Amino acid sequence: MTGLELETIRHAYGDHRAVDDVSLAVGPGELVCLLGPSGCGKTTTLRIAAGLENPTGGRVILDGAVVAGAGVLVPPERRNVGFLFQDYALFPHLDVAANVEFGLTALPRAERRRRAMEMLEQVGMAAFAGAWPHQLSGGQQQRVALARALAPGPRLMLLDEPFSGLDKRLRDRIRDDTLHLLKASHVSTLMVTHDPEEAMFMADRIAVMRKGRIMQLGTPAELYGRPADPFVASFFGEVNVVEAQALSGRVTTPLGPWPCPGLADGEAAEVLVRPEGITLAEDAAGPGQVLAARLLGRSSLVHLRLDWPGHAPVHLHVRLSGRPPPPEGTRVALTIDPAQVFVFPAGEE
Ligand code: ATP
């Protein structure tokens, strides 16, 4: 197939397994994100795809040809891969146009300039063709770096935290532009990020990594809506955790009973409820009481005490959008969206 295939990739630094049996395919024109906390092996996986690191085991296949593994190691410069990293790494001694022309040596000189200008046009930097890298802002440098990476028409783009050096507003814009340009180029892309929102914004599919392994691979909607374990569920945003015990295929919690297929009677369970999965209605006889409420801009966070007769009260966070939160002390009734509740055996993480 075309695109990138990583087949049971392993990589160790001494005894430390940085990448442990990672298998992943990036289809033609697809954008896949490697998402996970610091040190989980994302960058090592990307470097292996690039050819900057030789895997201890497994194979890397690009457009159907093995480029690493089984005694083969094709160097990065012969893989026809484009890179975009956090530090834009433009050549300081070359102007903007010459930076973009750098990877176009296969083309005649006049053609190189034409292609470079076409790419600069696409990233909105044509007016800066004669400028030097140090005269550009971080966002402008990143646009030029993207133009340079895409100019030779790579068969794979590798992006490592490409927007993390930019401030938030600029980051949102450049991220959006980059996504549209990558999609318009129909290039297969593997991108590393530790930011779940960024992964959901950019990716067709996300591989959530932890300790060198892929914990779950799926579309953003699959990972958010059907997380495989508590780690994945909580990686996409804070969750409330309520402890419970299974009985006859159900757990009973102050938020109601929930099915827990596969859990034996008496088995301890963790019930995860997303703060955005709870809605509140003022009700003088309701079981909840607002302890504090903070307006956070587009949404508010409510700290709630939930009474549960015969048990200690439970502290919950509730995220409300679109209207001011109820004032402190208000008694409320709760409605729970079952799609935002996940039951797992306790201690899975
Ligand atoms: P970060 O976002 O912090 O870069 P990451 O998920 O990209 O994290 P890697 O950089 O791939 O993780 O590192 C995975 C593990 O391998 C870490 O424990 C790291 O300390 C270790 N590691 C990475 N590079 C080397 C190296 N050259 N020598 C020894 N250990 C390394």
Side-chain angles (χ1 to χ4, degrees):
M1 81 168 229
T2 52
L4 170 73
E5 291 166 79
L6 301 178
E7 249 182 36
T8 57
I9 294 292
R10 291 181 298 284
H11 197 65
Y13 296 107
D15 319 335
H16 177 63
R17 281 196 200 182
V19 180
D20 196 2
D21 246 342
V22 163
S23 293
L24 173 73
V26 184
E30 191 185 23
L31 198 158
V32 174
C33 273
L34 299 174
L35 171 69
S38 182
C40 72
K42 310 180 291 291
T43 295
T44 305
T45 305
L46 197 83
R47 287 174 59 81
I48 287 170
L52 297 166
E53 203 83 60
N54 188 11
T56 319
R59 299 198 304 171
V60 180
I61 301 166
L62 249 183
D63 285 350
V66 176
V67 292
V72 175
L73 186 61
V74 177
E77 64 277 11
R78 290 192 25 232
R79 291 193 185 189
N80 191 10
V81 164
F83 299 99
L84 192 62
F85 293 156
Q86 180 184 344
D87 50 359
Y88 327 108
L90 297 180
F91 303 115
H93 60 290
L94 297 179
D95 69 15
V96 162
N99 260 282
V100 180
E101 282 176 44
F102 185 80
L104 300 174
T105 43
L107 298 178
R109 183 168 288 274
E111 183 59 15
R112 271 183 233 166
R113 178 52 55 124
R114 196 201 58 73
R115 173 73 179 151
M117 289 311 295
E118 178 187 273
M119 288 312 303
L120 285 171
E121 198 74 56
Q122 286 193 31
V123 298
M125 289 296 291
F128 294 85
W132 297 97
H134 73 266
Q135 296 172 314
L136 306 180
S137 70
Q140 290 171 330
Q141 289 186 42
Q142 192 63 321
R143 288 174 191 277
V144 175
L146 179 63
R148 184 180 64 178
L150 284 171
R155 51 185 177 179
L156 175 70
M157 279 290 287
L158 297 173
L159 279 57
D160 192 351
E161 303 274 4
F163 315 114
S164 53
L166 307 170
D167 68 59
K168 170 138 177 52
R169 274 188 56 207
L170 188 58
R171 188 166 62 219
D172 289 351
R173 230 185 48 227
I174 298 214
R175 199 155 73 176
D176 193 34
D177 293 348
T178 303
L179 177 62
H180 291 303
L181 202 53
L182 289 169
K183 284 294 169 190
S185 310
H186 304 291
V187 63
S188 306
T189 303
L190 184 63
M191 170 172 151
V192 160
T193 179
H194 66 277
D195 177 351
E197 221 182 284
E198 179 159 296
M200 291 181 98
F201 181 85
M202 296 289 289
D204 298 307
R205 289 186 304 145
I206 300 173
V208 178
M209 289 187 72
R210 186 184 192 208
K211 296 183 181 165
R213 292 181 156 265
I214 293 181
M215 307 301 288
Q216 192 173 0
L217 174 65
T219 64
E222 281 164 358
L223 297 196
Y224 189 78
R226 293 197 299 280
D229 59 31
F231 175 77
V232 175
S234 51
F235 206 79
F236 287 94
E238 187 210 12
V239 285
N240 294 292
V241 182
V242 179
E243 285 165 14
Q245 263 192 355
L247 188 63
S248 311
R250 291 183 353 154
V251 287
T252 304
T253 74
L255 296 163
W258 303 101
C260 59
L263 265 72
D265 280 1
E267 198 173 338
E270 267 177 8
V271 182
L272 275 53
V273 186
R274 293 198 197 278
E276 55 272 33
I278 306 174
T279 43
L280 305 177
E282 276 193 42
D283 180 347
Q289 184 169 32
V290 175
L291 298 175
R294 299 276 179 272
L295 188 62
L296 304 176
R298 265 174 273 178
S299 66
S300 355
L301 187 71
V302 176
H303 298 256
L304 199 72
R305 194 191 70 201
L306 183 60
D307 294 324
W308 191 18
H311 299 80
V314 173
H315 185 102
L316 292 176
H317 287 175
V318 179
R319 197 173 275 273
L320 303 174
S321 51
R323 59 199 161 88
E328 263 177 60
T330 311
R331 289 219 68 101
V332 289
L334 287 71
T335 308
I336 316 291
D337 172 6
Q340 310 251 31
V341 178
F342 311 103
V343 183
F344 297 107
E348 257 212 342
E349 200 175 311

